[in-house]
Amino acid sequence: MKVLIVSSYDKSIFPYLDTVTFFDYLVKEVGIIKDNIVFYGRTEIEARIDFYDIFGELCEKTKGEPLIIYYSGHGFYDGWDLNKKVFVPYEVLMHFLQRRNAPLIFINDCCFGMAVTDPFEKLKYDKMVIGLAPKDLEGQSDYHGSFLLPEILKYWRKYTFANPRFKFK
């Protein structure tokens, strides 16, 4: 199983810290090997490493195996805002994902996180999909971490190891 973790935040900001929490969970509790986790963050953005190259290559290499995608950052109704220069529309993500025929766990931990369900429905992707949005902060700018990531991890700890349908290693 491969994992893509995406965050455009600085290492001291909560959405980035959420990605670290998720990374640690996957490695320490699920047992995914670190080399199977691709992290696309602020360093890669500033180095102008093309997100589409990384995402496309990962989708191509994992056509027949499960893939987890976790995004924590700015979200809009139609995609991810990695920074002021890089916007990733959901429709483009679906273009890459349509070539896959394997289980997918897609965690969209951002504002308008559930907006990704419409593109998935158009794609008719019949594998596992999880779309998330943090609690509405009512316009507050003092974001204090994902409200849902702890719930996801609690759920996974409770159910994934007891259910033979979930094979993470």
Side-chain angles (χ1 to χ4, degrees), residues 5 19-30:
I5 297 176
T19 63
V20 172
T21 299
F22 191 63
F23 177 91
D24 287 345
Y25 168 76
L26 292 174
V27 171
K28 294 175 182 172
E29 294 188 43
V30 177

Side-chain angles (χ1 to χ4, degrees), residues 141-169:
S141 61
D142 55 343
Y143 179 79
H144 296 291
S146 172
F147 294 96
L148 293 176
L149 183 59
E151 292 302 312
I152 292 172
L153 299 184
K154 184 170 73 174
Y155 176 83
W156 275 8
R157 286 180 183 115
K158 184 175 180 180
Y159 295 107
T160 56
F161 300 109
N163 187 336
R165 287 184 13 194
F166 292 78
K167 299 292 182 200
F168 287 106
K169 295 181 183 179

Side-chain angles (χ1 to χ4, degrees), residues 38-167:
V38 176
F39 187 87
Y40 186 87
R42 189 174 189 101
T43 303
E44 289 76 15
I45 292 168
E46 289 175 358
R48 298 186 182 270
I49 296 171
D50 191 351
F51 173 80
Y52 297 112
D53 288 345
I54 290 173
F55 190 69
E57 183 178 326
L58 188 63
C59 286
E60 191 65 33
K61 283 183 176 179
T62 63
K63 273 187 179 178
E65 69 178 289
L67 175 64
I68 297 174
I69 298 172
Y70 176 70
Y71 176 72
S72 181
H74 287 299
F76 292 99
Y77 66 93
D78 56 348
W80 298 338
D81 183 19
L82 299 184
N83 66 13
K84 294 186 186 330
K85 296 178 184 172
V86 181
F87 181 78
V88 180
Y90 292 137
E91 298 296 333
V92 173
L93 293 176
M94 297 308 120
H95 170 75
F96 288 106
L97 292 173
Q98 72 184 356
R99 293 180 266 168
R100 294 182 37 80
N101 186 23
L104 170 69
I105 297 174
F106 190 99
I107 303 172
N108 202 28
D109 197 0
C110 61
C111 292
F112 301 100
M114 293 302 290
V116 75
T117 57
D118 288 338
F120 269 114
E121 286 177 9
K122 289 178 188 171
L123 181 63
K124 299 191 184 327
Y125 201 91
D126 63 350
K127 306 299 178 185
M128 182 196 299
V129 177
I130 302 173
L132 301 174
K135 182 181 174 206
D136 181 10
L137 298 178
E138 299 174 3
Q140 297 175 14
S141 61
D142 55 343
Y143 179 79
H144 296 291
S146 172
F147 294 96
L148 293 176
L149 183 59
E151 292 302 312
I152 292 172
L153 299 184
K154 184 170 73 174
Y155 176 83
W156 275 8
R157 286 180 183 115
K158 184 175 180 180
Y159 295 107
T160 56
F161 300 109
N163 187 336
R165 287 184 13 194
F166 292 78
K167 299 292 182 200

